[in-house]
């Protein structure tokens, strides 16, 4: 009876368990459709859309590679961002000007409007950038240059940084010519962020590794950034070659031009559709005479202009390096730039705005002009100082802001150059998103205009230079001065081409190029750092071309002096125990293989994935195998010597995009150098500055 009851009880428990399992399975079957419907509704339409997208990808891929569509999209999106930025800034500047005019007759209120408006915008831009994303301040060009050589800079390509930089840059530019800053550098950074996300999309569609296309898209983005700022595709690509890339690969040539052309075309079309232009034309229209653009002997004056721009550039770069060092060492500046960035920006912008107030010193600097109006006025082909104008032309010239105070045009231009030199240096310390190329471009135009007006005045009436020089064009000197000074500051020649594309004036191509070459020769003498090199050195970025300017001994430093101790290695007859030890102690993707630990003769490398398969095979089959019998030893195509310099190894890593280089001396393995180790070496050199 007990056994019967026991067996009956067991059967009853089994039936209960079966019924519970059936109930659970029914509940799970009832829940699964609910979960699927809640997370993936409309499965059939989604499948149809997915199939259509796959067919579209196949069709598009059959025409050209997916990456080319991404290049075109990059140019269009960057141009759209540039247009929206210019439109927003123009409306904010117009609002400031409207309020200032409405307060006419109340000087105190006009002063408060003139100063507090840009001061509040500057304080907001600095505070907002610091609180949302501290990496968005400054130009962004030094960081992009560092990323292009293969060194990762964290957080500089995030969506948060892109949004913060765009809004902060809008507020900075809306401060007007009071702050005298531009947008080229930050916009190259914005273009790089857009390119980084398009690169991820392209890699996702094609199933490619990140390293294969990442650098190409960043290089293209740098060219598109300049092309979308000015609608100048050719100079944008040349700027990317000179400034951004220490080694420019020819495979990037066509993608850069294609994307830059798409960006420039979209930029011009948006301006036409917005009503700001009638057709696709240069951003700064000029009316230089084409019959006789310049006299042959004026070539000497253009060379003199290059020397003058080069000398002033050396002075400006010296002051810029000094102010960067001063803000890093002075306790008051250091504390304010660390904890009170908004207050510092507001005070500095208020001080600069007070100096440019139209009823004070601003009346001698054409302070009512925006940056675009300043450059347009300086490129005017008419002679402002000539006494032979008729009454109508003289009345029109008197309406210019440069002569509104009644002072001679020479004094206004000289005072502008004197004041803007140190004001621009001071503005470079502001912790907000800002560019520095356009201000130096305008400053150079003022230098050339001053020289051109002097030549025009001396040649009028044949006083000194003779009757044959009666039609000197001061605007041509302004164009050459803009290219020469900006090219000397950045150590580039692309501003010579940019000046031609901005104005559409190729008649002055030869004198502009000559002035730029002479100014560059003087600015580069004694291996002086450029503007962007000084920023990289000040920020202690691991960018070797910049660090060379601060450490001239780097090119001659042998790799053996900075190479770490010998890395993990395997001999070709290694067994599972030695392989397991090497895998546990090293995280590198490539592990070197030598003939034996005694001879140290380098044979090649083996992949970490193959070693893991070797260990798995030995464990499952319970066999003892040798490394050279199971794994393939890959020959190494590039070997460096410990006698090679750090600069040579850095160049090899940059050009080959290799993550690891093995170091051998007379065929024997000495060690290995990776990108992370090279970054540590450069970081150590940067910290010693």
């Amino acid at each position: 009876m007990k056994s019967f009851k026991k067996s009956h009880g067991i059967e009853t428990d089994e039936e209960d368990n079966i019924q519970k399992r059936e109930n659970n399975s029914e509940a799970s079957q009832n829940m699964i459709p609910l979960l699927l419907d809640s997370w993936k509704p409309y499965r059939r339409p989604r499948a149809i859309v997915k199939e259509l997208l796959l067919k579209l990808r196949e069709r598009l891929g059959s025409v050209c590679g997916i990456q080319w569509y991404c290049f075109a999209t990059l140019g269009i999106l960057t141009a759209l961002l540039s247009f929206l930025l210019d439109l927003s800034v123009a409306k904010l500047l117009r609002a400031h000007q409207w309020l200032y005019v409405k307060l006419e007759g109340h000087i105190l209120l006009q002063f408060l409007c003139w100063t507090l408006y840009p001061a509040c915008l500057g304080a907001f831009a600095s505070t907002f950038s610091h609180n949302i994303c501290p990496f968005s301040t400054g130009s962004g060009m030094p960081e992009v240059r560092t990323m292009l050589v293969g060194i990762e800079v964290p957080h500089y390509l995030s969506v948060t940084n892109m949004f913060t930089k765009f809004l902060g840059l809008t507020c900075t530019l809306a401060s007007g010519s009071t702050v005298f800053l531009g947008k080229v550098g930050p916009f190259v950074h914005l273009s790089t962020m857009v390119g980084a996300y398009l690169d991820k999309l392209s890699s996702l569609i094609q199933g490619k590794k990140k390293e294969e296309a990442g650098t190409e898209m960043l290089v293209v983005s740098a060219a598109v950034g300049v092309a979308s700022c000015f609608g100048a595709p050719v100079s944008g690509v040349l700027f990317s070659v000179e400034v951004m890339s220490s080694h420019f690969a020819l495979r990037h040539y066509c993608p850069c031009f294609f994307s830059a052309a798409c960006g420039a075309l979209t930029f011009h079309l948006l301006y036409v559709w917005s009503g700001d232009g009638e057709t696709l034309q240069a951003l700064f229209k000029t009316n230089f005479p084409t019959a006789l653009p310049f006299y042959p002997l004026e070539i000497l004056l253009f060379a003199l202009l290059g020397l003058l721009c080069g000398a002033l550039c050396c002075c400006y770069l010296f002051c810029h390096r000094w102010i960067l060092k001063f803000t890093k060492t002075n306790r008051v500046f250091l504390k304010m730039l660390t904890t009170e960035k908004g207050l510092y920006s507001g005070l500095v912008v208020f001080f600069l705005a007070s100096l440019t107030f139209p009823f004070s010193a601003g009346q001698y600097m054409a302070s009512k002009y925006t940056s675009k109006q300043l450059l347009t006025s300086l490129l005017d082909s008419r002679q402002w100082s000539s006494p032979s104008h008729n009454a109508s032309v003289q009345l029109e010239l008197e309406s210019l802001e440069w002569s509104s105070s009644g002072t001679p045009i020479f004094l206004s231009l000289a005072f502008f150059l004197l004041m803007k030199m140190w004001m621009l240096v001071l503005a470079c310390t502001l912790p907000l998103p800002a560019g520095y190329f356009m201000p130096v471009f305008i400053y150079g135009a003022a230098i050339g205009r001053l020289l051109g007006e002097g030549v025009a005045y001396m040649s009028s009436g044949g006083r000194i230079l003779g009757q044959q020089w009666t039609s000197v064009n001061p605007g041509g000197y302004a164009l050459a001065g803009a290219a020469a000074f900006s090219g000397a500051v950045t150590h580039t020649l692309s501003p010579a081409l940019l000046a031609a594309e901005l104005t559409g004036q190729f008649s002055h191509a030869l004198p502009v190029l000559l002035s730029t070459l002479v100014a560059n020769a003087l600015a580069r003498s004694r291996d002086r750092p450029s503007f962007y090199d000084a920023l990289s050195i000040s920020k202690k970025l691991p960018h070797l071309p910049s660090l060379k300017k601060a450490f001239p001994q780097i090119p001659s430093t042998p790799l053996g002096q900075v190479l770490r101790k010998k890395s993990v290695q395997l001999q070709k007859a290694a067994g599972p125990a030695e392989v397991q030890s090497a895998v546990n102690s090293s995280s590198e993707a490539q592990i070197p293989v030598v003939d034996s630990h005694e001879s140290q003769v380098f044979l090649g490398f083996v992949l970490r994935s193959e070693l893991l398969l070797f260990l798995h095979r030995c464990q499952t089959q319970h066999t003892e195998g040798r490394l050279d019998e199971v794994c393939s030893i890959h020959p190494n195509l590039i070997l460096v010597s410990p006698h090679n310099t750090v600069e040579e190894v850095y160049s090899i890593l940059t050009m080959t995009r290799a993550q690891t280089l093995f170091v051998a001396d007379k065929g024997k393995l000495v060690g290995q150098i990776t990108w992370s180790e090279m970054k540590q070496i450069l970081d150590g050199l940067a910290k010693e500055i």
Side-chain angles (χ1 to χ4, degrees), residues 380-397:
D380 189 4
S381 61
R382 296 173 298 180
Q383 300 176 12
W384 297 344
S385 58
S386 177
S388 59
H389 291 307
N390 55 40
S392 60
V393 176
Q394 192 69 29
L395 184 63
E396 187 178 353
L397 292 177

Side-chain angles (χ1 to χ4, degrees), residues 12 54 114 262 290 346 384 407 465 473 534 538 632 635 671:
T12 305
L54 291 175
W114 185 267
C262 292
T290 56
W384 297 344
T407 56
L465 299 177
N473 178 15
S538 175
S632 58

Side-chain angles (χ1 to χ4, degrees), residues 268-279:
H268 284 298
L269 287 175
L270 288 172
Y271 264 89
V272 172
W273 292 336
S274 66
D276 292 337
E278 298 178 357
T279 183

Side-chain angles (χ1 to χ4, degrees), residues 52-177:
L52 291 175
L53 289 176
L54 291 175
K55 290 183 179 179
L56 178 63
R57 186 185 71 174
E58 293 178 0
R59 295 290 178 85
L60 293 177
S62 62
V63 177
C64 61
I66 298 296
Q67 69 272 18
W68 289 95
Y69 296 100
C70 291
F71 294 147
T73 306
L74 172 64
I76 295 171
L77 290 178
T78 307
L80 182 61
L81 283 176
S82 179
F83 175 75
L84 291 176
L85 180 66
D86 291 344
L87 186 65
S88 304
V89 170
K91 289 186 178 297
L92 290 172
L93 289 173
R94 199 177 299 120
H96 184 207
Q97 187 178 10
W98 174 85
L99 182 60
Y100 179 82
V101 173
K102 285 295 183 181
L103 296 174
E104 189 174 357
H106 304 83
I107 296 181
L108 179 59
L109 293 179
Q110 282 188 310
F111 174 78
L112 293 177
C113 172
W114 185 267
T115 55
L116 291 181
Y117 187 89
C120 292
L121 286 174
F124 172 78
S126 182
T127 304
F128 181 79
S129 302
H130 175 67
N131 291 331
I132 302 301
C133 185
F135 309 102
S136 62
T137 59
S139 170
M141 293 278 284
E143 290 81 8
V144 175
R145 296 171 76 200
T146 305
M147 286 186 284
L148 284 177
V149 298
I151 298 175
E152 185 178 356
V153 183
H155 311 295
Y156 271 88
L157 297 179
S158 63
V159 178
T160 307
N161 195 1
M162 182 168 61
F163 168 74
T164 309
K165 192 126 193 169
F166 185 83
L167 185 58
L169 181 61
T170 303
C171 295
T172 301
L173 297 178
S175 301
S177 59

Side-chain angles (χ1 to χ4, degrees), residues 307-321:
L307 288 174
L308 181 61
C309 289
L312 289 176
C313 168
C314 293
C315 178
Y316 169 72
L317 291 179
F318 173 79
C319 295
H320 177 248
R321 292 193 298 269

